[in-house]
Amino acid sequence: MDLDQTFIQAPEHRADSNFIPNQPEEIPVIDLSRLNDPENIQNVISEIGDACETWGFFQVINHGVPCDARKRVEETVKIFFDLPMEEKIKVKRDEVNPAGYHDGEHTKNVRDWKEVFDIYFKDPMVMPSSTDPEDEGLRVVYNKWPQFPSDFRINRYPPCPRPDLALGVGHHKDADVISLLAQDEVGGLQISRRSDGVWFPIRPVPNALVINIGNCMEVWTNDKYWSAEHRVVVNSTRERYSIPFFLLPSHDVEVKPLEELLSPENPPRYKGYKYGKFYVSRNRSDFKKLEIQNIQIDDFKVVT
Ligand SMILES: O=C(O)CCC(=O)C(=O)O
Ligand SMILES: [Fe+2]
C-alpha cells in the first residue's frame, strides 16, 4: 500500500538503520521500593546517576503511582482517540497555541505517524508570543479540555501500512528537564546509545515508567548527563498508546551550565538560552513541514 510522501523518512533514519536486533544489553530497570531500605538508598542513587550518564534513559518499577489510576487514564485516552474526527478537530491545536489535538506533528520536518493531545500542567500557561529574542511579548494559552486538567501528552500510534518507511516519532531529543512516560505493552520506543549511536528498544515492563533526561538537564550538568536521541517505530498490526509527562521550566528561565559544576578543566559547553524562546521556536516548527532545520540544542554549543 502506498504511503503519503509526507511520512517517508530518509533511508538513514528508517527503522532498520543502525538497529541490531537481540542485543543482550538493555537500559536499567530500577526498583524504587529499595529506597525504603536505608542501606540501599545510596545504591539506588548511584544506579540512577550511572543510567543518566551512560544512557540518559532508565525505567522505574514500584514507583508509587497507583496501577488503578494509570488504568483509568489509559481508558480515558482510548475514549478520546476513538471519538470521530469531527469531535477531535473541535479541540485542535494551532500554530501559536500548542494545547490540544494534532495529527500532523512533524519531527525534523517529517510527519509522524501518530495522533497527540497536549495538555498543560499549568492552565493557563504563559509563553513568549514570538521567537524573536528582542520581543518581550507574552501569550497566555489555555487547555482545550478543561474538564480534564492534567499534565500529560497522550499519543496514539495507529497501525501503519509501511513501518519500514515511516516512524511514529522521528529521531529527536526532548527539550525539557526530564520526561516520564507510561507506555503500553506493544513496544516501539527506541533510544540511541551514547557510545556509538546504535538503537536499543525500551522493553515494555508492566506498570513501569520510562524516565529520560531532556536538553535542560544536559545543559545544566554540562553534558555529564546525556539527553539521548529517541524515536518510535510503528508496526502494521497493532496500535500503540503512550502517555509522556514533560517537566518544563518556566519560560523566563535562563538555561546554562551550573556554575558549581564548572572549572578550568570543565569549561561551559553551552551558551545560555531562554527556555521560552527555545520552546516556542521548536513547538511552532513541529506544527508543519518547513524547508529549514528547526532549533536544536547543538545550536547553543560553545565552539572550541
Ligand atoms: O511514545 C513514545 O514512546 C515516545 C514519545 C516521545 O518521544 C515524545 O513524544 O517526545
Ligand atoms: Fe521524546
Side-chain angles (χ1 to χ4, degrees), residues 91-147:
V91 290
K92 203 163 166 21
R93 72 160 278 193
D94 56 40
E95 198 159 353
V96 295
N97 180 351
Y101 174 76
H102 195 34
D103 67 351
E105 191 166 81
H106 285 63
T107 303
K108 306 241 166 83
N109 289 326
V110 183
R111 187 166 169 198
D112 294 327
W113 188 270
K114 70 176 181 197
E115 300 175 273
V116 304
F117 188 93
D118 279 320
I119 310 139
Y120 284 106
F121 179 54
K122 276 184 111 177
D123 190 30
M125 167 102 164
V126 178
M127 59 180 66
S129 51
S130 81
T131 56
D132 174 1
E134 304 299 316
D135 173 8
E136 296 194 348
L138 297 174
R139 181 188 312 276
V140 177
V141 304
Y142 292 88
N143 278 328
K144 296 262 173 56
W145 202 6
Q147 65 273 44

Coordinates of all heavy atoms in Angstrom, one line a residue, residues 91-147:
V91 N -11.1 20.4 19.2 CA -10.1 20.8 20.2 C -8.7 20.7 19.5 O -7.7 20.4 20.2 CB -10.2 19.9 21.4 CG1 -11.4 20.1 22.2 CG2 -10.1 18.4 21.0
K92 N -8.6 21.1 18.3 CA -7.4 21.0 17.5 C -6.4 22.2 18.0 O -6.8 23.3 18.3 CB -7.7 21.2 16.0 CG -6.6 20.6 15.1 CD -7.2 20.4 13.7 CE -6.1 20.1 12.7 NZ -4.8 19.7 13.1
R93 N -5.1 21.9 18.0 CA -4.1 22.9 18.3 C -4.0 23.8 17.0 O -4.4 23.4 15.9 CB -2.8 22.3 18.7 CG -2.0 21.7 17.6 CD -0.5 21.5 18.0 NE 0.3 22.8 17.7 CZ 1.6 22.9 17.7 NH1 2.3 21.8 17.9 NH2 2.2 24.0 17.4
D94 N -3.3 24.9 17.2 CA -3.0 25.7 16.0 C -1.5 26.1 16.1 O -0.8 25.6 17.0 CB -3.9 26.9 15.8 CG -3.9 27.8 17.0 OD1 -2.8 28.0 17.6 OD2 -5.0 28.3 17.4
E95 N -1.0 26.9 15.2 CA 0.4 27.2 15.2 C 0.9 27.9 16.5 O 2.0 27.7 16.9 CB 0.7 28.0 14.0 CG 2.2 28.0 13.6 CD 2.5 28.3 12.2 OE1 1.5 28.5 11.4 OE2 3.7 28.4 11.8
V96 N 0.1 28.8 17.0 CA 0.6 29.5 18.2 C 0.1 29.0 19.5 O 0.7 29.2 20.6 CB 0.2 31.1 18.1 CG1 1.0 31.7 16.9 CG2 -1.2 31.3 18.0
N97 N -1.0 28.3 19.6 CA -1.5 27.7 20.8 C -1.3 26.2 20.7 O -2.0 25.5 20.1 CB -2.9 28.0 21.1 CG -3.3 27.3 22.5 OD1 -2.6 26.5 23.0 ND2 -4.5 27.6 22.9
P98 N -0.2 25.7 21.3 CA 0.1 24.2 21.1 C -0.7 23.3 22.0 O -0.5 22.1 21.9 CB 1.6 24.1 21.6 CG 2.0 25.4 22.2 CD 0.8 26.4 22.2
A99 N -1.7 23.8 22.8 CA -2.5 22.9 23.6 C -3.6 22.3 22.7 O -4.2 23.0 21.9 CB -3.1 23.6 24.7
G100 N -3.9 21.0 22.8 CA -5.0 20.4 22.0 C -4.6 19.2 21.1 O -3.5 18.7 21.3
Y101 N -5.5 18.9 20.2 CA -5.3 17.7 19.4 C -4.5 18.0 18.1 O -4.7 19.1 17.6 CB -6.7 17.2 19.0 CG -6.7 16.1 18.0 CD1 -6.4 14.8 18.4 CD2 -7.0 16.3 16.7 CE1 -6.3 13.7 17.5 CE2 -6.9 15.3 15.7 CZ -6.6 14.0 16.2 OH -6.6 13.0 15.3
H102 N -3.7 17.1 17.7 CA -3.0 17.3 16.4 C -2.7 15.9 15.8 O -2.2 15.0 16.5 CB -1.7 18.0 16.7 CG -1.0 18.6 15.5 ND1 -1.7 19.1 14.5 CD2 0.3 18.8 15.3 CE1 -0.8 19.6 13.6 NE2 0.4 19.4 14.0
D103 N -2.9 15.8 14.5 CA -2.5 14.6 13.8 C -1.5 14.9 12.7 O -1.2 14.0 11.9 CB -3.7 13.8 13.3 CG -4.4 14.5 12.1 OD1 -4.0 15.7 11.9 OD2 -5.2 13.9 11.5
G104 N -0.9 16.1 12.8 CA 0.1 16.4 11.7 C 1.4 16.9 12.3 O 2.1 17.7 11.6
E105 N 1.8 16.4 13.5 CA 3.1 16.8 14.0 C 4.2 16.3 13.1 O 4.2 15.2 12.7 CB 3.2 16.4 15.5 CG 4.4 17.1 16.1 CD 4.5 17.0 17.6 OE1 4.9 15.9 18.1 OE2 4.0 17.9 18.3
H106 N 5.2 17.2 13.0 CA 6.4 16.9 12.2 C 7.6 16.9 13.2 O 7.7 17.8 14.0 CB 6.7 17.9 11.1 CG 5.8 17.8 10.0 ND1 4.4 18.0 10.0 CD2 6.0 17.5 8.6 CE1 3.9 17.8 8.8 NE2 4.8 17.5 8.0
T107 N 8.4 15.9 13.1 CA 9.7 15.9 13.9 C 10.8 16.0 12.9 O 10.9 15.1 11.9 CB 9.8 14.6 14.8 OG1 8.7 14.5 15.6 CG2 11.1 14.6 15.6
K108 N 11.6 17.0 12.9 CA 12.7 17.2 12.0 C 12.1 17.2 10.5 O 12.7 16.6 9.6 CB 13.8 16.2 12.1 CG 14.4 16.1 13.5 CD 15.8 16.4 13.5 CE 16.4 16.7 14.9 NZ 16.7 15.5 15.7
N109 N 11.0 17.9 10.4 CA 10.4 18.1 9.0 C 9.8 16.8 8.3 O 9.6 16.8 7.1 CB 11.3 18.8 8.1 CG 11.4 20.3 8.6 OD1 10.5 20.8 9.0 ND2 12.6 20.8 8.4
V110 N 9.7 15.7 9.1 CA 9.0 14.6 8.5 C 7.8 14.3 9.4 O 7.9 14.4 10.6 CB 9.9 13.3 8.5 CG1 9.2 12.2 7.8 CG2 11.2 13.6 7.8
R111 N 6.6 14.0 8.8 CA 5.4 13.9 9.5 C 5.4 12.6 10.3 O 5.9 11.5 9.8 CB 4.2 13.9 8.6 CG 2.9 13.9 9.3 CD 1.8 14.2 8.3 NE 0.5 14.0 8.9 CZ -0.6 13.9 8.2 NH1 -0.6 14.0 6.9 NH2 -1.8 13.7 8.9
D112 N 5.0 12.6 11.6 CA 5.0 11.5 12.5 C 3.7 10.7 12.3 O 2.6 11.3 12.1 CB 5.0 11.9 14.0 CG 6.3 12.6 14.3 OD1 7.4 12.2 13.8 OD2 6.3 13.4 15.2
W113 N 3.8 9.4 12.3 CA 2.6 8.5 12.2 C 1.9 8.4 13.6 O 2.1 7.4 14.3 CB 3.0 7.1 11.6 CG 1.8 6.3 11.3 CD1 1.2 5.4 12.1 CD2 1.2 6.2 10.0 NE1 0.2 4.8 11.5 CE2 0.1 5.3 10.2 CE3 1.3 6.8 8.8 CZ2 -0.8 5.0 9.2 CZ3 0.5 6.5 7.8 CH2 -0.6 5.6 8.0
K114 N 1.1 9.4 13.9 CA 0.6 9.4 15.3 C -0.5 10.5 15.4 O -0.6 11.4 14.5 CB 1.6 9.7 16.3 CG 2.1 11.1 16.3 CD 3.1 11.4 17.4 CE 3.6 12.9 17.2 NZ 4.8 13.2 17.9
E115 N -1.3 10.4 16.5 CA -2.2 11.5 16.9 C -1.8 11.8 18.3 O -1.4 11.0 19.1 CB -3.6 11.0 17.0 CG -4.2 10.4 15.8 CD -5.6 9.9 16.1 OE1 -5.7 8.7 16.5 OE2 -6.6 10.6 15.9
V116 N -1.9 13.1 18.7 CA -1.5 13.5 20.0 C -2.5 14.5 20.6 O -3.3 15.1 19.8 CB -0.1 14.3 20.1 CG1 1.0 13.5 19.5 CG2 -0.2 15.6 19.4
F117 N -2.5 14.6 21.9 CA -3.3 15.6 22.5 C -2.5 16.2 23.6 O -2.0 15.5 24.5 CB -4.6 15.0 23.1 CG -5.6 16.1 23.6 CD1 -6.6 16.6 22.8 CD2 -5.4 16.6 24.9 CE1 -7.4 17.6 23.3 CE2 -6.3 17.6 25.4 CZ -7.3 18.1 24.6
D118 N -2.2 17.5 23.6 CA -1.3 18.1 24.6 C -2.1 18.9 25.6 O -3.0 19.7 25.3 CB -0.3 19.1 23.9 CG 0.9 18.3 23.3 OD1 1.3 17.3 24.0 OD2 1.3 18.6 22.2
I119 N -1.8 18.7 26.9 CA -2.5 19.3 28.0 C -1.4 19.9 28.9 O -0.4 19.3 29.2 CB -3.2 18.3 28.8 CG1 -4.1 17.4 27.9 CG2 -4.1 19.0 29.9 CD1 -4.1 16.0 28.3
Y120 N -1.5 21.2 29.2 CA -0.5 21.8 30.1 C -0.8 21.7 31.6 O -2.0 21.7 32.0 CB -0.3 23.3 29.8 CG 0.5 23.4 28.5 CD1 -0.1 23.8 27.3 CD2 1.8 23.1 28.5 CE1 0.6 23.8 26.1 CE2 2.5 23.1 27.4 CZ 1.9 23.4 26.2 OH 2.6 23.4 25.0
F121 N 0.3 21.5 32.3 CA 0.2 21.3 33.8 C -0.3 22.6 34.4 O -1.1 22.5 35.4 CB 1.7 21.1 34.1 CG 2.0 20.9 35.6 CD1 1.3 19.9 36.3 CD2 2.9 21.6 36.2 CE1 1.6 19.7 37.7 CE2 3.2 21.5 37.5 CZ 2.5 20.5 38.3
K122 N 0.1 23.7 33.8 CA -0.4 25.0 34.3 C -1.4 25.5 33.4 O -1.2 25.5 32.2 CB 0.7 26.0 34.4 CG 1.6 25.9 35.6 CD 2.6 27.0 35.6 CE 2.3 28.1 36.7 NZ 3.3 29.1 36.7
D123 N -2.6 25.8 33.9 CA -3.7 26.3 33.0 C -4.2 27.6 33.5 O -4.8 27.6 34.6 CB -4.8 25.2 32.8 CG -5.7 25.6 31.7 OD1 -5.3 26.2 30.8 OD2 -6.9 25.2 31.9
P124 N -4.0 28.7 32.9 CA -3.4 28.9 31.6 C -1.8 28.9 31.8 O -1.3 29.0 32.8 CB -3.8 30.3 31.1 CG -4.1 31.0 32.4 CD -4.6 30.0 33.4
M125 N -1.2 28.7 30.6 CA 0.3 28.6 30.5 C 0.7 29.9 29.8 O 0.1 30.3 28.9 CB 0.6 27.4 29.7 CG 2.0 27.3 29.2 SD 2.9 26.1 30.3 CE 4.3 25.9 29.2
V126 N 1.8 30.5 30.3 CA 2.4 31.7 29.7 C 3.6 31.4 28.9 O 4.5 30.6 29.4 CB 2.7 32.7 30.9 CG1 3.3 34.0 30.3 CG2 1.5 33.0 31.7
M127 N 3.7 31.9 27.7 CA 4.8 31.6 26.9 C 5.1 32.8 26.0 O 4.2 33.7 25.8 CB 4.6 30.4 26.0 CG 3.5 30.4 25.1 SD 3.4 28.8 24.2 CE 3.0 27.7 25.4
P128 N 6.4 33.0 25.5 CA 6.6 34.1 24.7 C 5.7 34.1 23.4 O 5.3 33.1 22.9 CB 8.1 33.9 24.2 CG 8.7 33.0 25.3 CD 7.5 32.1 25.7
S129 N 5.4 35.3 23.0 CA 4.4 35.4 21.9 C 5.1 35.3 20.5 O 4.5 35.2 19.5 CB 3.6 36.7 21.9 OG 4.4 37.8 22.1
S130 N 6.5 35.4 20.5 CA 7.2 35.2 19.2 C 8.5 34.5 19.5 O 9.0 34.5 20.7 CB 7.3 36.5 18.5 OG 8.5 37.2 19.0
T131 N 9.2 34.2 18.4 CA 10.5 33.5 18.6 C 11.6 34.6 18.5 O 12.8 34.3 18.8 CB 10.7 32.5 17.4 OG1 10.6 33.2 16.2 CG2 9.8 31.4 17.5
D132 N 11.3 35.9 18.3 CA 12.2 36.9 18.2 C 12.9 37.2 19.5 O 12.1 37.6 20.5 CB 11.5 38.2 17.6 CG 12.4 39.4 17.6 OD1 13.6 39.3 18.0 OD2 11.9 40.5 17.2
P133 N 14.2 37.1 19.7 CA 14.8 37.3 21.0 C 14.6 38.7 21.6 O 14.6 38.9 22.8 CB 16.3 37.0 20.8 CG 16.4 36.5 19.4 CD 15.1 36.7 18.7
E134 N 14.4 39.7 20.7 CA 14.2 41.1 21.2 C 12.8 41.3 21.7 O 12.5 42.3 22.3 CB 14.5 42.0 20.0 CG 15.8 41.9 19.3 CD 16.9 42.2 20.3 OE1 16.8 43.2 21.1 OE2 17.9 41.4 20.3
D135 N 11.8 40.5 21.2 CA 10.4 40.7 21.5 C 10.1 40.1 22.9 O 10.2 38.9 23.1 CB 9.6 40.0 20.5 CG 8.1 40.1 20.8 OD1 7.7 40.7 21.7 OD2 7.3 39.4 20.0
E136 N 9.7 41.0 23.9 CA 9.4 40.5 25.2 C 7.9 40.2 25.4 O 7.5 39.9 26.5 CB 9.9 41.6 26.2 CG 11.4 41.7 26.1 CD 12.0 42.4 27.3 OE1 11.3 43.1 28.1 OE2 13.3 42.4 27.3
G137 N 7.2 40.2 24.4 CA 5.7 40.0 24.5 C 5.4 38.5 24.9 O 6.2 37.6 24.6
L138 N 4.3 38.4 25.7 CA 4.0 37.1 26.2 C 2.6 36.7 25.7 O 1.7 37.6 25.5 CB 4.0 37.1 27.7 CG 5.4 37.3 28.4 CD1 5.2 37.5 29.9 CD2 6.3 36.2 28.1
R139 N 2.3 35.4 25.7 CA 1.0 35.0 25.3 C 0.5 34.0 26.3 O 1.2 33.3 26.9 CB 1.1 34.2 23.9 CG -0.2 33.7 23.4 CD 0.0 32.8 22.2 NE 0.9 33.4 21.2 CZ 0.6 34.2 20.3 NH1 -0.7 34.6 20.1 NH2 1.5 34.7 19.4
V140 N -0.8 34.1 26.6 CA -1.4 33.2 27.6 C -2.2 32.1 26.8 O -3.1 32.5 26.0 CB -2.4 34.0 28.5 CG1 -3.1 33.1 29.5 CG2 -1.6 35.0 29.3
V141 N -1.9 30.9 27.0 CA -2.6 29.8 26.2 C -3.4 28.9 27.2 O -2.9 28.7 28.3 CB -1.7 29.0 25.3 CG1 -1.0 29.9 24.3 CG2 -0.8 28.1 26.1
Y142 N -4.6 28.5 26.8 CA -5.5 27.7 27.6 C -5.6 26.3 27.1 O -5.5 26.0 25.9 CB -6.9 28.4 27.6 CG -6.9 29.7 28.3 CD1 -6.6 30.9 27.6 CD2 -7.1 29.8 29.7 CE1 -6.6 32.1 28.2 CE2 -7.1 31.0 30.3 CZ -6.8 32.2 29.6 OH -6.8 33.4 30.2
N143 N -5.8 25.4 28.0 CA -6.0 24.0 27.7 C -7.3 23.9 26.9 O -8.2 24.6 27.1 CB -6.1 23.1 28.9 CG -4.7 22.7 29.4 OD1 -3.8 22.5 28.6 ND2 -4.5 22.5 30.7
K144 N -7.4 22.8 26.0 CA -8.6 22.7 25.2 C -9.5 21.6 25.8 O -10.5 21.3 25.3 CB -8.2 22.2 23.8 CG -7.4 23.2 23.1 CD -8.2 24.0 22.1 CE -7.5 25.1 21.4 NZ -6.3 24.7 20.7
W145 N -9.2 21.0 27.0 CA -10.0 20.0 27.5 C -10.1 20.3 29.0 O -9.7 19.5 29.8 CB -9.4 18.6 27.3 CG -10.3 17.5 27.3 CD1 -11.7 17.5 27.5 CD2 -9.9 16.1 27.2 NE1 -12.1 16.2 27.4 CE2 -11.1 15.4 27.3 CE3 -8.7 15.4 27.1 CZ2 -11.1 14.0 27.2 CZ3 -8.7 14.1 27.0 CH2 -9.9 13.3 27.1
P146 N -10.7 21.5 29.4 CA -10.5 22.0 30.8 C -11.2 21.1 31.8 O -10.8 21.1 33.0 CB -11.2 23.3 30.7 CG -12.0 23.3 29.5 CD -11.4 22.4 28.5
Q147 N -12.1 20.2 31.4 CA -12.7 19.3 32.4 C -11.8 18.2 32.8 O -12.1 17.5 33.8 CB -14.1 18.8 31.9 CG -14.1 17.9 30.7 CD -14.2 18.7 29.4 OE1 -13.5 19.7 29.2 NE2 -15.0 18.2 28.5

